[in-house]
Amino acid sequence: MTAVWKDSRVSGIATTRINPRWIDEESPRVVIDDIAARPSLHPHIITFANEKGGVGKSTLAFHVAIALAHAGARVVAIDLDRRQRTLERGLTYRNGTASNLGIALPTPQFGVLDHPSTAAIYQTINRLGADADFVILDAAGADSPVFRRVVALADTLVTPVNASFLDLELLGRVNPISGVPEHTGCFGQTVSELREEKFSREMGRIEWVVVKNRVRASEKRHINRVDDALERLAISHDFRIGQGLSERVAFRELFQFGLTHLDLPLIPDMIRPQASSPDEVAALIEDLGLKIEPRASLPLPTRPAARVLKRTRTDFRAALNAAV
Ligand SMILES: Nc1ncnc2c1ncn2[C@@H]1O[C@H](COP(=O)(O)OP(=O)(O)OP(=O)(O)O)[C@@H](O)[C@H]1O
Ligand SMILES: [Mg+2]
């Protein structure tokens, strides 16, 4: 079957042409065929994806992975951005911090996909924990055949957006005068097609949650207008809206140590976090609507303190306190 779509953007007259995006490996049918041909995966898959770069996919993936580990779930986190490796780096720093301080921190099993392919995704999940409760997939911020497969694999798809109409247009354009959604954006179209194809084959529903990130209280009037547009798009594109994280320097600072605000109470003699930061992460988990069944018997990894000078440990703590 030839895929066609309507385009009236240029002349206002609807024209029909071949959708250039529906080719070979990227066609929704081929993407879903690829997944259907493989054994089904046990863990709940949470994919963080948006074709827009720099919106906070890795930051949110990192926080959600750690929050789920704190909640007692068994979590696997896979970084699909083999160049930036943000998620992998954050979790590596986390192990370094635990070791430097001689403390135990709930930490996901993690890895990076050096050679992205569907087979590699399945192999990595099976190697790191086929029996995990959750697999977190942090996609790179650009369309590709592998990008489409990790979107298609999602039970829950999380798309962070900044409060910018420019970002929203990748989901869809809302007419600024009438407030009516007019065009589906490139990422919105990809998600719609994959959801439809997956659902029609009775392979489950992709629950799509669009989460605002880096929200600044000072931009209230602008945010209200972005919220209105997002609500319109939520109806036309069938996604839920998550409140997301506000703009906080501490989210960036703590990354150097692989920590989140949820970890600070586990560190002896640490400054206590502002209550609202852990609350935001808890609200984010709530908005994702995940079913978390804590594994009571799950032991925290014991990490013997690294052999470091007392002075080094004191300096480490001082730098950490300065970051909170
Ligand atoms: N809530 C937040 N508060 C403050 N800074 C944030 C927040 N979320 C993300 N950032 C910062 O924004 C930048 C981009 O974030 P991040 O790397 O998570 O985005 P990304 O979508 O994964 O980017 P890419 O598309 O390049 O993979 C980083 O400098 C990060 O520290
Ligand atoms: Mg990233």
Side-chain angles (χ1 to χ4, degrees):
M1 190 185 79
T2 309
V4 290
W5 66 323
K6 292 205 169 18
D7 188 350
S8 58
R9 275 172 292 190
V10 181
S11 59
I13 301 163
T15 52
T16 301
R17 64 184 171 91
I18 304 292
N19 180 346
R21 299 169 64 83
W22 287 21
I23 46 168
D24 302 336
E25 280 195 279
E26 299 198 347
S27 107
R29 187 177 47 76
V30 174
V31 171
I32 301 298
D33 274 350
D34 196 5
I35 292 172
R38 294 167 200 270
S40 58
L41 295 163
H42 158 77
H44 186 97
I45 312 270
I46 312 174
T47 299
F48 290 78
N50 188 345
E51 271 181 65
K52 187 88 181 72
V55 287
K57 297 178 291 294
S58 303
T59 302
L60 264 57
F62 179 71
H63 279 82
V64 168
I66 288 171
L68 290 174
H70 267 277
R74 193 166 294 186
V75 186
V76 164
I78 303 176
D79 195 332
L80 287 111
D81 191 336
R82 60 185 162 159
R83 285 185 62 76
Q84 295 195 44
R85 308 171 93 100
T86 311
L87 183 62
E88 188 213 24
R89 280 186 289 125
L91 293 168
T92 304
Y93 301 152
R94 183 175 182 80
N95 281 344
T97 296
S99 165
N100 261 308
L101 295 175
I103 57 168
L105 292 170
T107 301
Q109 295 293 318
F110 64 95
V112 66
L113 225 61
D114 276 316
H115 303 286
S117 68
T118 320
I121 297 168
Y122 277 75
Q123 280 160 12
T124 310
I125 293 174
N126 288 327
R127 178 171 59 81
L128 294 174
D131 65 341
D133 301 309
F134 295 99
V135 170
I136 307 280
L137 300 174
D138 180 21
D143 191 18
S144 71
V146 165
F147 177 87
R148 290 182 176 218
R149 279 151 180 82
V150 294
V151 170
L153 269 174
D155 297 302
T156 303
L157 172 65
V158 185
T159 299
V161 288
N162 292 337
S164 158
F165 287 101
L166 191 145
D167 283 19
L168 253 50
E169 288 199 4
L170 270 75
L171 307 178
R173 174 170 164 81
V174 174
N175 185 306
I177 298 149
S178 65
V180 175
E182 323 186 291
H183 299 298
T184 296
C186 56
F187 183 61
Q189 185 176 349
T190 297
V191 175
S192 299
E193 291 166 359
L194 290 171
R195 281 175 112 187
E196 236 169 74
E197 186 72 29
K198 190 174 175 182
F199 192 70
S200 70
R201 309 248 208 123
E202 298 182 356
M203 289 170 63
R205 180 180 151 76
I206 302 174
E207 189 70 29
W208 192 13
V209 189
V210 174
V211 173
K212 286 182 291 178
N213 185 35
R214 308 190 74 166
V215 177
R216 296 177 192 84
S218 58
E219 298 175 345
K220 201 162 183 319
R221 217 175 116 243
H222 167 72
I223 300 281
N224 286 343
R225 292 199 303 116
V226 170
D227 279 349
D228 286 347
L230 204 51
E231 275 163 27
R232 300 273 188 149
L233 289 172
I235 295 166
S236 59
H237 288 61
D238 189 20
F239 59 71
R240 289 190 290 114
I241 303 171
Q243 280 315 297
L245 304 181
S246 56
E247 170 80 29
R248 278 181 204 277
V249 173
F251 288 139
R252 297 195 287 260
E253 293 271 337
L254 283 175
F255 175 81
Q256 311 169 78
F257 300 94
L259 294 174
T260 71
H261 287 95
L262 297 177
D263 302 310
L264 302 182
L266 298 181
I267 304 176
D269 306 327
M270 266 306 294
I271 291 171
R272 288 289 168 258
Q274 283 175 18
S276 50
S277 313
D279 288 354
E280 277 186 16
V281 178
L284 171 62
I285 299 290
E286 183 91 23
D287 284 344
L288 298 188
L290 304 170
K291 211 167 124 219
I292 308 170
E293 283 163 14
R295 299 197 186 197
S297 59
L298 198 67
L300 273 182
T302 44
R303 205 168 287 283
R307 286 171 189 263
V308 290
L309 293 173
K310 196 165 170 238
R311 173 76 200 279
T312 310
R313 186 156 292 153
T314 311
D315 290 349
F316 189 91
R317 267 180 200 288
L320 187 50
N321 269 317
V324 179

